[in-house]
Amino acid sequence: MSELQDLLKESGYSDKAIEYYLNKVNVGELTEPDAHAIYTGPCGDTMEIFLNVKEGVIKEAKFQAIGCAGAFSSGSALTEMIIGMTLEEVEKIDEELIINYLGGIPRQKVHCTCLSKRTLQKAINNYKEKG
Ligand code: FES
């Protein structure tokens, strides 16, 4: 295990959260996404989410972030969780579910899951507005 992995683990990130962060799972962009949003949280970090949606179901999801390990690991988890879900199901996902899916993140990083949740909600609102 690298020094960085050790540090992340000591600070409270689960092995799964560390893996997401280091492997940058779903980090990227979609060209011509059906839905897109960019959101800056109260901490000053920013996330951008891209979605492809077909008949009300999420088919593809990617994100970019200017943020911390908590932002990246929750962005990866959330974009992975939502593939195959309907928009209604996605809107029910809360921060607790993201944290459970990750298997744990440091307590002081719990708010980072809000960044991904809020950016995703904004992308869905953008999709609905487009009709
Ligand atoms: Fe801003 Fe983690 S500190 S998202």
Side-chain angles (χ1 to χ4, degrees):
M1 203 178 263
S2 72
E3 209 172 317
L4 176 60
Q5 278 169 300
D6 282 340
L7 279 172
L8 290 165
K9 203 167 172 127
E10 271 168 35
S11 64
Y13 287 97
S14 69
D15 288 339
K16 191 175 179 184
I18 294 170
E19 211 175 288
Y20 278 138
Y21 172 58
L22 296 179
N23 295 328
K24 302 275 180 270
V25 174
N26 290 333
V27 173
E29 293 181 16
L30 294 175
T31 46
E32 299 184 44
D34 297 318
H36 165 253
I38 187 161
Y39 172 76
T40 300
C43 66
D45 287 346
T46 299
M47 188 173 283
E48 189 171 14
I49 287 186
F50 307 81
L51 304 173
N52 277 338
V53 185
K54 201 169 179 200
E55 289 162 10
V57 175
I58 308 282
K59 294 292 177 191
E60 281 183 285
K62 297 275 182 205
F63 78 102
Q64 298 275 16
I66 304 166
C68 68
F72 275 96
S73 55
S74 57
S76 291
L78 188 58
T79 48
E80 193 172 86
M81 285 165 80
I82 61 174
I83 304 294
M85 282 189 179
T86 63
L87 296 179
E88 292 72 26
E89 287 168 337
V90 168
E91 286 186 285
K92 285 188 201 134
I93 294 174
D94 60 12
E95 288 77 4
E96 204 182 326
L97 213 62
I98 302 170
I99 294 164
N100 288 343
Y101 189 86
L102 277 168
I105 58 171
R107 201 143 41 93
Q108 65 272 29
K109 289 286 163 189
V110 165
H111 74 273
C112 308
T113 60
C114 297
L115 183 72
S116 53
K117 164 71 191 157
R118 287 187 183 160
T119 312
L120 179 63
Q121 187 58 57
K122 204 174 162 189
I124 291 175
N125 293 346
N126 160 262
Y127 180 77
K128 286 179 172 171
E129 279 162 21
K130 282 201 281 188

Coordinates of all heavy atoms in Angstrom, one line a residue, residues 23-96:
N23 N -8.5 5.6 -8.7 CA -8.7 5.1 -10.1 C -9.6 6.1 -10.9 O -9.9 5.9 -12.1 CB -9.4 3.8 -10.1 CG -8.4 2.7 -9.6 OD1 -7.2 2.8 -9.7 ND2 -9.0 1.7 -8.9
K24 N -10.0 7.2 -10.3 CA -10.8 8.2 -11.0 C -12.0 7.6 -11.7 O -12.2 7.9 -12.9 CB -9.9 9.1 -11.9 CG -8.8 9.8 -11.2 CD -9.2 11.1 -10.6 CE -8.1 11.8 -9.9 NZ -7.9 11.5 -8.5
V25 N -12.7 6.8 -11.1 CA -13.8 6.0 -11.7 C -14.9 7.0 -12.2 O -15.4 7.9 -11.4 CB -14.5 5.0 -10.7 CG1 -15.7 4.4 -11.3 CG2 -13.4 4.0 -10.3
N26 N -15.3 6.9 -13.4 CA -16.3 7.8 -14.1 C -15.9 9.2 -14.2 O -16.7 10.1 -14.5 CB -17.7 7.7 -13.4 CG -18.3 6.3 -13.7 OD1 -18.0 5.7 -14.7 ND2 -19.1 5.9 -12.8
V27 N -14.6 9.5 -14.0 CA -14.2 10.9 -14.2 C -14.0 11.1 -15.7 O -13.3 10.3 -16.4 CB -12.8 11.2 -13.5 CG1 -12.3 12.6 -13.8 CG2 -13.1 11.1 -12.0
G28 N -14.7 12.1 -16.2 CA -14.6 12.4 -17.6 C -15.8 13.2 -18.1 O -16.5 13.8 -17.2
E29 N -16.0 13.3 -19.4 CA -17.1 14.1 -19.9 C -17.9 13.3 -20.9 O -17.3 12.3 -21.4 CB -16.5 15.3 -20.7 CG -15.8 16.3 -19.8 CD -15.3 17.5 -20.5 OE1 -15.7 17.7 -21.7 OE2 -14.5 18.2 -19.9
L30 N -19.1 13.7 -21.2 CA -19.9 13.1 -22.2 C -20.1 14.2 -23.3 O -20.4 15.3 -22.9 CB -21.2 12.6 -21.8 CG -21.2 11.4 -20.8 CD1 -22.7 11.2 -20.3 CD2 -20.6 10.2 -21.4
T31 N -19.8 13.8 -24.5 CA -20.1 14.8 -25.6 C -21.6 14.8 -25.9 O -22.2 13.7 -25.9 CB -19.3 14.5 -26.9 OG1 -19.4 13.1 -27.1 CG2 -17.8 14.9 -26.7
E32 N -22.2 15.9 -26.0 CA -23.6 16.0 -26.2 C -24.4 15.3 -25.2 O -25.2 14.4 -25.5 CB -24.0 15.6 -27.6 CG -23.3 16.4 -28.7 CD -23.8 16.0 -30.1 OE1 -25.0 15.8 -30.3 OE2 -22.9 15.9 -30.9
P33 N -24.3 15.6 -23.9 CA -25.1 14.9 -22.8 C -26.5 15.3 -22.9 O -26.8 16.4 -23.3 CB -24.4 15.3 -21.5 CG -23.8 16.6 -21.9 CD -23.4 16.6 -23.3
D34 N -27.4 14.4 -22.5 CA -28.8 14.8 -22.4 C -29.1 15.7 -21.2 O -30.0 16.5 -21.2 CB -29.7 13.5 -22.2 CG -29.6 12.6 -23.3 OD1 -29.6 13.1 -24.5 OD2 -29.4 11.3 -23.1
A35 N -28.2 15.6 -20.2 CA -28.4 16.5 -19.0 C -27.0 16.8 -18.5 O -26.0 16.0 -18.6 CB -29.1 15.8 -17.9
H36 N -26.8 18.0 -18.0 CA -25.5 18.5 -17.6 C -25.7 19.6 -16.5 O -26.7 20.4 -16.6 CB -24.8 19.1 -18.8 CG -23.6 19.9 -18.5 ND1 -23.6 21.3 -18.6 CD2 -22.4 19.6 -18.0 CE1 -22.4 21.8 -18.2 NE2 -21.7 20.7 -17.8
A37 N -24.9 19.6 -15.5 CA -24.9 20.7 -14.5 C -23.6 20.9 -13.9 O -22.7 20.0 -13.8 CB -25.9 20.4 -13.5
I38 N -23.3 22.1 -13.5 CA -22.1 22.5 -12.7 C -22.6 23.2 -11.5 O -23.5 24.0 -11.5 CB -21.2 23.3 -13.6 CG1 -19.8 23.5 -12.9 CG2 -21.8 24.6 -14.1 CD1 -18.7 23.9 -13.9
Y39 N -21.9 22.8 -10.3 CA -22.4 23.3 -9.1 C -21.2 23.5 -8.1 O -20.3 22.6 -8.1 CB -23.4 22.4 -8.4 CG -23.8 22.7 -7.0 CD1 -24.7 23.7 -6.7 CD2 -23.2 22.0 -5.9 CE1 -25.0 24.1 -5.4 CE2 -23.6 22.3 -4.6 CZ -24.5 23.3 -4.4 OH -24.8 23.7 -3.1
T40 N -21.2 24.7 -7.5 CA -20.1 24.9 -6.5 C -20.7 24.9 -5.1 O -21.7 25.6 -4.8 CB -19.4 26.3 -6.8 OG1 -18.9 26.3 -8.1 CG2 -18.3 26.6 -5.8
G41 N -20.1 24.1 -4.3 CA -20.7 23.9 -2.9 C -20.2 25.0 -2.0 O -19.3 25.8 -2.3
P42 N -20.7 25.1 -0.8 CA -20.3 26.1 0.2 C -18.8 26.0 0.6 O -18.2 27.0 1.0 CB -21.2 25.8 1.4 CG -22.2 24.8 1.0 CD -21.8 24.2 -0.3
C43 N -18.2 24.9 0.4 CA -16.8 24.7 0.7 C -15.9 25.3 -0.4 O -14.7 25.4 -0.3 CB -16.4 23.2 0.9 SG -16.6 22.3 -0.7
G44 N -16.5 25.7 -1.5 CA -15.8 26.3 -2.7 C -15.4 25.2 -3.7 O -14.8 25.6 -4.8
D45 N -15.6 24.0 -3.5 CA -15.3 22.9 -4.5 C -16.4 22.9 -5.5 O -17.6 23.2 -5.2 CB -15.1 21.6 -3.8 CG -13.8 21.5 -3.1 OD1 -12.9 22.4 -3.3 OD2 -13.6 20.6 -2.3
T46 N -16.0 22.5 -6.7 CA -17.0 22.5 -7.8 C -17.1 21.1 -8.5 O -16.0 20.4 -8.6 CB -16.5 23.5 -8.9 OG1 -16.5 24.8 -8.3 CG2 -17.5 23.5 -10.1
M47 N -18.3 20.7 -8.9 CA -18.5 19.4 -9.6 C -19.3 19.7 -10.8 O -20.2 20.6 -10.9 CB -19.1 18.4 -8.7 CG -19.2 17.0 -9.4 SD -19.8 15.7 -8.3 CE -18.3 15.4 -7.2
E48 N -19.0 18.9 -11.8 CA -19.8 19.0 -13.1 C -20.2 17.6 -13.4 O -19.4 16.6 -13.4 CB -18.8 19.5 -14.2 CG -19.5 19.9 -15.5 CD -18.5 20.6 -16.4 OE1 -17.3 20.6 -16.2 OE2 -19.0 21.1 -17.4
I49 N -21.5 17.4 -13.7 CA -22.0 16.1 -14.0 C -22.6 16.0 -15.4 O -23.3 17.0 -15.8 CB -23.0 15.6 -12.9 CG1 -22.3 15.2 -11.7 CG2 -23.9 14.4 -13.4 CD1 -23.1 14.6 -10.5
F50 N -22.4 15.0 -16.1 CA -22.9 14.8 -17.5 C -23.7 13.5 -17.5 O -23.2 12.4 -17.0 CB -21.8 14.6 -18.5 CG -20.8 15.6 -18.5 CD1 -19.7 15.7 -17.5 CD2 -20.8 16.7 -19.4 CE1 -18.8 16.7 -17.5 CE2 -19.9 17.7 -19.4 CZ -18.8 17.7 -18.5
L51 N -25.0 13.5 -18.0 CA -25.8 12.3 -18.0 C -26.3 12.0 -19.4 O -26.7 13.0 -20.1 CB -27.0 12.5 -17.1 CG -26.8 12.8 -15.6 CD1 -28.1 13.1 -15.0 CD2 -26.1 11.7 -14.9
N52 N -26.4 10.8 -19.8 CA -27.2 10.4 -20.9 C -28.4 9.6 -20.4 O -28.3 8.7 -19.6 CB -26.4 9.5 -21.9 CG -25.6 10.4 -22.8 OD1 -25.9 11.6 -23.0 ND2 -24.5 9.9 -23.4
V53 N -29.6 10.0 -20.9 CA -30.8 9.4 -20.3 C -31.7 8.9 -21.5 O -31.8 9.5 -22.5 CB -31.7 10.5 -19.6 CG1 -32.9 10.0 -19.0 CG2 -30.8 11.3 -18.6
K54 N -32.2 7.7 -21.3 CA -33.0 7.1 -22.4 C -34.3 6.6 -21.7 O -34.3 5.8 -20.8 CB -32.3 6.0 -23.1 CG -32.9 5.7 -24.5 CD -32.0 4.8 -25.3 CE -32.6 4.6 -26.6 NZ -32.1 3.4 -27.3
E55 N -35.4 7.1 -22.2 CA -36.8 6.7 -21.7 C -36.8 6.8 -20.1 O -37.3 5.8 -19.5 CB -37.2 5.4 -22.2 CG -37.5 5.4 -23.7 CD -37.5 4.0 -24.4 OE1 -37.4 3.0 -23.7 OE2 -37.6 4.0 -25.6
G56 N -36.3 7.9 -19.6 CA -36.3 8.1 -18.2 C -35.3 7.3 -17.3 O -35.4 7.3 -16.1
V57 N -34.4 6.6 -18.0 CA -33.4 5.8 -17.3 C -32.0 6.3 -17.6 O -31.7 6.6 -18.7 CB -33.5 4.3 -17.7 CG1 -32.4 3.4 -17.1 CG2 -34.9 3.7 -17.4
I58 N -31.2 6.4 -16.6 CA -29.8 6.8 -16.7 C -29.0 5.7 -17.4 O -28.9 4.6 -17.0 CB -29.1 7.2 -15.4 CG1 -30.0 8.1 -14.5 CG2 -27.7 7.7 -15.6 CD1 -30.0 9.5 -14.9
K59 N -28.4 6.1 -18.6 CA -27.6 5.2 -19.4 C -26.1 5.4 -19.2 O -25.3 4.4 -19.2 CB -28.0 5.3 -20.8 CG -29.4 4.9 -21.2 CD -29.5 3.4 -21.0 CE -31.0 2.9 -21.2 NZ -31.2 1.5 -20.7
E60 N -25.7 6.6 -19.0 CA -24.3 6.9 -18.8 C -24.2 8.1 -17.9 O -25.0 9.0 -17.9 CB -23.6 7.4 -20.2 CG -23.3 6.2 -21.1 CD -22.6 6.8 -22.3 OE1 -23.3 7.3 -23.2 OE2 -21.3 6.6 -22.4
A61 N -23.1 8.1 -17.1 CA -22.9 9.2 -16.2 C -21.4 9.4 -16.0 O -20.6 8.5 -15.8 CB -23.5 8.9 -14.8
K62 N -21.0 10.7 -16.1 CA -19.5 11.0 -15.9 C -19.5 12.3 -15.1 O -20.5 13.1 -15.1 CB -18.8 11.3 -17.3 CG -18.8 10.1 -18.2 CD -17.6 9.2 -17.9 CE -17.5 8.1 -18.8 NZ -16.8 6.9 -18.3
F63 N -18.4 12.5 -14.5 CA -18.2 13.8 -13.8 C -16.8 14.3 -13.8 O -15.9 13.6 -14.1 CB -18.7 13.6 -12.3 CG -17.7 12.9 -11.4 CD1 -16.9 13.7 -10.5 CD2 -17.5 11.6 -11.5 CE1 -16.0 13.1 -9.7 CE2 -16.6 10.9 -10.6 CZ -15.8 11.7 -9.8
Q64 N -16.7 15.6 -13.5 CA -15.4 16.3 -13.3 C -15.5 17.0 -12.0 O -16.6 17.4 -11.6 CB -15.1 17.3 -14.4 CG -15.1 16.8 -15.8 CD -13.7 16.3 -16.2 OE1 -12.8 16.1 -15.3 NE2 -13.5 16.1 -17.5
A65 N -14.4 17.2 -11.4 CA -14.5 18.0 -10.1 C -13.2 18.8 -9.9 O -12.1 18.4 -10.3 CB -14.7 17.1 -8.9
I66 N -13.4 19.9 -9.2 CA -12.2 20.6 -8.7 C -12.5 20.4 -7.2 O -13.3 21.2 -6.6 CB -12.2 22.1 -9.1 CG1 -12.2 22.2 -10.6 CG2 -11.0 22.8 -8.5 CD1 -12.5 23.6 -11.1
G67 N -11.9 19.4 -6.6 CA -12.3 19.2 -5.2 C -11.4 18.2 -4.6 O -10.4 17.7 -5.1
C68 N -11.8 17.8 -3.4 CA -11.0 16.9 -2.5 C -11.3 15.4 -2.8 O -12.1 15.1 -3.6 CB -11.4 17.2 -1.1 SG -13.1 16.7 -0.7
A69 N -10.6 14.6 -2.0 CA -10.8 13.1 -2.2 C -12.2 12.7 -1.9 O -12.8 11.8 -2.5 CB -9.8 12.4 -1.3
G70 N -12.9 13.4 -1.0 CA -14.3 13.1 -0.7 C -15.2 13.4 -1.8 O -16.1 12.7 -2.1
A71 N -14.9 14.5 -2.5 CA -15.7 14.9 -3.7 C -15.5 13.9 -4.8 O -16.5 13.4 -5.4 CB -15.2 16.3 -4.2
F72 N -14.3 13.5 -5.0 CA -14.0 12.5 -6.1 C -14.6 11.1 -5.8 O -15.2 10.5 -6.6 CB -12.5 12.4 -6.4 CG -12.1 13.4 -7.4 CD1 -11.5 14.6 -7.0 CD2 -12.3 13.3 -8.8 CE1 -11.1 15.6 -7.8 CE2 -11.9 14.3 -9.7 CZ -11.3 15.4 -9.2
S73 N -14.4 10.7 -4.6 CA -14.9 9.3 -4.3 C -16.4 9.3 -4.3 O -17.0 8.4 -4.8 CB -14.3 8.8 -2.9 OG -14.6 9.7 -1.9
S74 N -17.1 10.4 -3.8 CA -18.5 10.3 -3.8 C -19.1 10.6 -5.2 O -20.1 10.0 -5.6 CB -19.2 11.3 -2.8 OG -18.7 12.6 -3.0
G75 N -18.4 11.3 -6.0 CA -18.8 11.5 -7.4 C -18.7 10.2 -8.2 O -19.6 9.8 -8.9
S76 N -17.6 9.4 -7.9 CA -17.5 8.1 -8.6 C -18.6 7.2 -8.1 O -19.2 6.5 -8.9 CB -16.1 7.5 -8.2 OG -15.1 8.2 -8.8
A77 N -18.8 7.1 -6.8 CA -19.9 6.2 -6.3 C -21.2 6.6 -6.8 O -22.0 5.7 -7.3 CB -19.9 6.3 -4.7
L78 N -21.6 7.9 -6.8 CA -22.9 8.3 -7.2 C -23.1 8.0 -8.7 O -24.1 7.4 -9.1 CB -23.1 9.8 -6.9 CG -24.5 10.3 -7.2 CD1 -25.5 9.5 -6.3 CD2 -24.6 11.8 -6.8
T79 N -22.1 8.3 -9.5 CA -22.3 8.1 -11.0 C -22.3 6.6 -11.3 O -23.0 6.2 -12.3 CB -21.1 8.8 -11.8 OG1 -19.9 8.4 -11.2 CG2 -21.3 10.3 -11.9
E80 N -21.7 5.8 -10.5 CA -21.8 4.3 -10.7 C -23.2 3.8 -10.2 O -23.8 3.0 -10.9 CB -20.7 3.6 -9.9 CG -20.5 2.2 -10.3 CD -19.3 1.6 -9.6 OE1 -19.3 1.1 -8.5 OE2 -18.2 1.7 -10.3
M81 N -23.6 4.3 -9.1 CA -24.9 3.8 -8.5 C -26.1 4.1 -9.4 O -27.0 3.3 -9.5 CB -25.2 4.6 -7.2 CG -24.4 4.3 -6.0 SD -24.6 5.6 -4.8 CE -26.2 5.2 -4.1
I82 N -26.1 5.2 -10.1 CA -27.3 5.6 -10.8 C -27.5 5.0 -12.2 O -28.6 5.1 -12.7 CB -27.3 7.2 -11.0 CG1 -26.1 7.7 -11.8 CG2 -27.4 7.8 -9.6 CD1 -26.2 9.2 -12.1
I83 N -26.4 4.3 -12.7 CA -26.6 3.7 -14.0 C -27.7 2.6 -14.0 O -27.7 1.7 -13.1 CB -25.3 3.0 -14.5 CG1 -24.1 4.0 -14.5 CG2 -25.5 2.3 -15.9 CD1 -24.3 5.1 -15.5
G84 N -28.7 2.7 -14.8 CA -29.8 1.8 -14.8 C -31.0 2.2 -14.0 O -32.0 1.5 -14.0
M85 N -30.8 3.3 -13.2 CA -31.9 3.8 -12.4 C -32.8 4.7 -13.2 O -32.4 5.5 -14.0 CB -31.4 4.5 -11.2 CG -30.9 3.7 -10.1 SD -30.5 4.7 -8.6 CE -29.9 3.5 -7.5
T86 N -34.1 4.8 -12.7 CA -35.0 5.8 -13.3 C -34.7 7.2 -12.6 O -34.1 7.2 -11.5 CB -36.5 5.5 -13.1 OG1 -36.7 5.5 -11.6 CG2 -36.8 4.1 -13.6
L87 N -35.1 8.2 -13.3 CA -34.9 9.6 -12.7 C -35.6 9.7 -11.3 O -35.0 10.3 -10.4 CB -35.4 10.7 -13.6 CG -34.7 10.8 -14.9 CD1 -35.4 11.9 -15.8 CD2 -33.2 11.1 -14.8
E88 N -36.7 9.0 -11.1 CA -37.5 9.1 -9.9 C -36.6 8.4 -8.8 O -36.5 8.9 -7.7 CB -38.8 8.4 -10.0 CG -39.9 9.1 -10.8 CD -39.6 9.1 -12.3 OE1 -38.9 8.1 -12.8 OE2 -40.0 10.0 -13.0
E89 N -36.0 7.2 -9.1 CA -35.2 6.5 -8.2 C -34.0 7.3 -7.8 O -33.6 7.4 -6.6 CB -34.7 5.2 -8.8 CG -35.8 4.1 -8.9 CD -35.5 2.9 -9.7 OE1 -34.6 3.0 -10.6 OE2 -36.1 1.9 -9.5
V90 N -33.4 8.0 -8.8 CA -32.2 8.7 -8.6 C -32.4 9.9 -7.6 O -31.6 10.2 -6.7 CB -31.6 9.3 -9.9 CG1 -30.5 10.3 -9.7 CG2 -31.1 8.1 -10.8
E91 N -33.6 10.5 -7.8 CA -33.9 11.7 -6.9 C -34.1 11.3 -5.5 O -34.0 12.1 -4.6 CB -35.2 12.4 -7.5 CG -34.8 13.2 -8.7 CD -36.0 14.0 -9.2 OE1 -36.9 13.4 -9.7 OE2 -36.0 15.2 -9.0
K92 N -34.3 10.0 -5.2 CA -34.5 9.5 -3.8 C -33.2 9.2 -3.1 O -33.1 9.0 -1.9 CB -35.4 8.3 -3.8 CG -36.8 8.6 -4.0 CD -37.7 7.4 -3.8 CE -39.0 7.5 -4.5 NZ -39.4 6.4 -5.3
I93 N -32.1 9.2 -3.9 CA -30.8 8.9 -3.3 C -30.4 10.0 -2.3 O -30.4 11.2 -2.7 CB -29.7 8.7 -4.4 CG1 -30.0 7.5 -5.2 CG2 -28.3 8.6 -3.7 CD1 -29.1 7.3 -6.4
D94 N -30.0 9.7 -1.1 CA -29.5 10.7 -0.2 C -28.1 10.5 0.2 O -27.5 9.5 -0.2 CB -30.4 10.8 1.1 CG -30.5 9.5 1.9 OD1 -29.6 8.6 1.6 OD2 -31.3 9.4 2.7
E95 N -27.6 11.4 1.0 CA -26.1 11.4 1.3 C -25.8 10.1 2.0 O -24.7 9.5 1.8 CB -25.8 12.6 2.2 CG -25.7 13.9 1.4 CD -27.1 14.5 1.1 OE1 -28.2 13.9 1.5 OE2 -27.2 15.5 0.4
E96 N -26.7 9.6 2.9 CA -26.4 8.4 3.7 C -26.2 7.2 2.8 O -25.3 6.4 3.0 CB -27.6 8.2 4.6 CG -27.2 7.4 5.8 CD -28.5 7.1 6.7 OE1 -29.3 8.0 6.8 OE2 -28.5 6.0 7.3

